[in-house]
Amino acid sequence: MSDQEKILRQSLKSSDATVRKETLESLLTVDLDNELIEMVAQLFSDPDKGVRDAASMLFTFQPYDEVPAQIVKYVFSEDISIRNMAGEVLLKNGKNSVSTLMSELGKGNSDDEKFIIDILGWIGNPKPTKKILEILKTSKNENVTLACAEALGNIKAEEAVSDLVALLADDKDEILTPTVMEALGKIGNKEAIDHFMKVYNDQDILTKYTIIESLGRVGDEDSLGFLLNELKTADDALVGSIVKSSEQLLSTMGFEIEFDEELRGVILKALDESDESIIFAAVKLLYKYDNKEILAAFVSIYGENDELDSMFKDKFINSYKTAFPILLEGIHNNADNIKQLLMLFKDLYEYGIENGFEPLSDIKNMELLNSLSTYVDSYDEEIRMISAELLFKINPKDALLFTDKLVEDDNIWNRLKLLELLSDVDEPEVIDLIKKLKEDPDEMVRERAESVLDEKQTRI
């Protein structure tokens, strides 16, 4: 043994906690032999928390085959922090911990048993399946039974399905039902799926929710049909989860289904959910349809998610003739997402002009100008400016009627943008407006106004 190794061992036994902790940290770059592994393992019960944490970190970042056997005794510790620390390291060591943990089953109390089974389930290795099944069948402790069910689900033990289903039949008070149902959902073989559909109608709403989510993950063609049929009569609280699971199955199986008007109407309800994953699922299911109700629903949530907005914009362009009037209606009605709708309208308006779509009638054009003129007074500086841009784009001469408000806008960038808009307008009153901006309190605005004025006078 080298002098350096002797110093390390002496330092791990130091009476100074700081020395012990610093030594453990230094071992992160050292290849540990069996003796050092045993010494570090002993520090899992050190009276100093910092030392314990350092020992745990060392075995987390430096896994060794010998570690599980050295620390497994701490899963029986009465100090819950030590027990949890040992559990975390055993979990990090993964399948290397399985045999050691299995050898400890049956040696402690029910809390110890549950803790060991939990870790085995989280590791997810199938090796302990038979042992956990035996405990499931024989244990009289409810918490241990629940741990077994959960672990078998995490392991995805198909051989456990019959026993789990039998457990449900005996669960008169439905204490085990939610956990067992979730476990069956994770396993997801044909027997489990068929059982879900068979018992669905007899379950409470929380268990139905669990079944629906499980079918979305592991269902088949039959369960897709079941979900879509259920969608027509489901409680509103379950609509979102059914929509999400149905879309998952359709995507997984590569199916395309034509939804009738009734189903489309139900799916639309899911757009009101707060869960983005549900909203995405509903949009995907409805995306191919071009009817007014669906496009109006898309318009109503435009601006809430960048990815969805990109999808919606493509949809609105491809369904321009139907979408454009809906967008106009949202602007006239001062929709909650008016800022986003104005920005979208600008893009669609330009697209319509570029692609030769029939322009707005005089009446529709006047209605639009009237609506935009009200937004020039908005408290929101972006709404004020995008409205001004649209006014100038649609009818520059009429836009000048509202520029007095914009000249006094309290946002410097809006005043600069106004100068940019004015530079492209050749009406006589523009010169007076630019001269007014030459007297602006901000030097940058004054300089830009002078530049625009020079450019205009040069053109004259």
Side-chain angles (χ1 to χ4, degrees):
M1 182 185 299
S2 68
D3 290 341
Q4 180 65 29
E5 290 173 330
K6 288 179 181 177
I7 292 172
L8 285 173
R9 285 159 173 74
Q10 289 171 358
S11 298
L12 288 175
K13 296 178 180 179
S14 171
S15 59
D16 187 336
T18 301
V19 173
R20 298 196 301 276
K21 179 175 179 293
E22 290 176 351
T23 303
L24 286 166
E25 291 169 349
S26 71
L27 290 177
L28 284 167
T29 57
V30 174
D31 190 18
L32 306 185
D33 58 25
N34 288 344
E35 184 181 349
L36 275 175
I37 290 172
E38 183 177 355
M39 291 181 71
V40 173
Q42 290 171 357
L43 294 177
F44 268 54
S45 59
D46 194 276
D48 185 89
K49 184 178 184 303
V51 173
R52 297 198 302 269
D53 288 344
S56 170
M57 183 180 297
L58 176 58
F59 281 165
T60 298
F61 288 99
Q62 288 269 63
Y64 294 92
D65 291 347
E66 299 81 7
V67 166
Q70 291 290 343
I71 67 169
V72 73
K73 60 186 175 183
Y74 296 112
V75 301
F76 301 103
S77 174
E78 292 183 1
D79 186 325
I80 192 168
S81 66
I82 293 176
R83 183 166 77 164
N84 288 342
M85 182 177 70
E88 288 175 10
V89 174
L90 289 163
L91 179 59
K92 287 286 186 181
N93 275 261
K95 65 179 182 179
N96 190 38
S97 299
V98 171
S99 295
T100 300
L101 286 165
M102 287 178 62
S103 68
E104 301 300 317
L105 288 170
K107 293 184 179 180
N109 58 34
S110 58
D111 288 339
D112 301 327
E113 195 86 337
K114 177 187 181 307
F115 188 60
I116 293 171
I117 293 168
D118 283 340
I119 299 171
L120 288 169
W122 294 330
I123 291 172
N125 187 279
K127 185 176 181 180
T129 299
K130 184 177 179 180
K131 182 67 175 176
I132 294 174
L133 263 173
E134 290 175 3
I135 298 171
L136 177 78
K137 296 175 185 177
T138 58
S139 176
K140 304 299 180 184
N141 184 278
E142 193 175 90
N143 289 330
V144 172
T145 301
L146 286 168
C148 288
E150 188 174 347
L152 291 166
N154 289 333
I155 291 170
K156 295 180 172 54
E158 292 196 21
E159 58 266 54
V161 170
S162 297
D163 290 304
L164 291 171
V165 170
L167 201 62
L168 290 172
D170 296 331
D171 188 26
K172 305 302 181 186
D173 296 327
E174 297 191 347
I175 295 172
L176 306 176
T177 295
T179 300
V180 175
M181 283 292 203
E182 187 173 352
L184 287 169
K186 290 177 180 178
I187 296 170
N189 68 356
K190 181 63 177 173
E191 183 182 354
I193 293 169
D194 289 346
H195 178 75
F196 281 149
M197 294 187 289
K198 180 180 177 181
V199 303
Y200 178 85
N201 288 327
D202 299 325
Q203 307 305 311
D204 61 33
I205 196 164
L206 290 177
T207 305
K208 284 182 176 181
Y209 184 84
T210 299
I211 290 174
I212 292 164
E213 284 207 319
S214 298
L215 292 178
R217 289 194 302 268
V218 298
D220 54 15
E221 188 173 344
D222 289 339
S223 49
L224 173 61
F226 170 82
L227 287 173
L228 293 176
N229 187 61
E230 179 62 24
L231 190 57
K232 296 179 179 180
T233 57
D235 187 294
D236 284 350
L238 293 173
V239 166
S241 60
I242 296 176
V243 166
K244 180 180 176 180
S245 288
S246 298
E247 194 281 325
Q248 284 177 325
L249 287 176
L250 283 167
S251 178
T252 300
M253 295 186 288
F255 287 178
E256 286 192 14
I257 291 180
E258 190 70 29
F259 299 115
D260 60 27
E261 187 176 349
E262 180 185 5
L263 269 179
R264 292 199 300 267
V266 177
I267 295 169
L268 275 173
K269 295 179 183 178
L271 294 178
D272 294 327
E273 297 277 349
S274 58
D275 186 331
E276 278 193 353
S277 63
I278 291 175
I279 296 172
F280 265 92
V283 169
K284 289 176 183 177
L285 292 179
L286 297 172
Y287 194 76
K288 67 180 180 180
Y289 298 100
D290 290 336
N291 68 26
K292 182 176 179 181
E293 186 180 12
I294 290 172
L295 290 173
F298 289 172
V299 167
S300 71
I301 62 172
Y302 185 82
E304 294 181 5
N305 179 282
D306 290 343
E307 187 176 348
L308 281 177
D309 286 353
S310 178
M311 293 172 62
F312 289 153
K313 188 176 289 188
D314 289 342
K315 180 66 176 176
F316 299 149
I317 287 174
N318 292 330
S319 307
Y320 182 87
K321 289 187 177 180
T322 306
F324 194 76
I326 297 171
L327 189 51
L328 267 177
E329 187 176 344
I331 291 173
H332 294 327
N333 294 332
N334 192 15
D336 291 339
N337 55 340
I338 187 62
K339 182 194 302 185
Q340 289 77 18
L341 294 189
L342 288 169
M343 293 176 181
L344 173 64
F345 181 83
K346 178 173 176 286
D347 292 339
L348 260 64
Y349 186 83
E350 291 171 350
Y351 172 83
I353 293 173
E354 291 170 3
N355 289 273
F357 284 102
E358 188 175 323
L360 293 171
S361 66
D362 290 342
I363 294 176
K364 292 289 185 184
N365 203 54
M366 184 58 66
E367 289 175 352
L368 175 58
L369 290 171
N370 287 337
S371 293
L372 292 174
S373 67
T374 64
Y375 296 129
V376 173
D377 289 321
S378 172
Y379 70 89
D380 187 299
E381 59 198 33
E382 290 183 83
I383 292 178
R384 295 197 300 272
M385 200 63 253
I386 188 68
S387 300
E389 286 187 72
L390 285 168
L391 284 167
F392 275 92
K393 187 175 293 291
I394 295 167
N395 192 318
K397 189 169 184 176
D398 286 345
L400 293 173
L401 298 173
F402 310 101
T403 47
D404 282 345
K405 299 173 183 177
L406 297 168
V407 167
E408 302 294 338
D409 197 289
D410 60 9
N411 182 283
I412 179 179
W413 303 109
N414 281 2
R415 302 198 299 278
L416 286 168
K417 182 65 178 179
L418 175 60
L419 281 165
E420 180 184 325
L421 296 171
L422 292 172
S423 68
D424 295 325
V425 179
D426 291 327
E427 298 295 332
E429 54 265 54
V430 167
I431 300 297
D432 290 336
L433 289 167
I434 297 173
K435 286 180 177 179
K436 189 171 183 179
L437 286 165
K438 276 186 65 178
E439 307 301 323
D440 193 90
D442 186 89
E443 181 180 0
M444 189 160 48
V445 175
R446 293 196 301 271
E447 290 177 352
R448 179 58 184 146
E450 186 169 355
S451 174
V452 170
L453 189 60
D454 288 344
E455 291 171 9
K456 281 192 164 293
Q457 290 174 337
T458 300
R459 290 204 296 266
I460 294 172

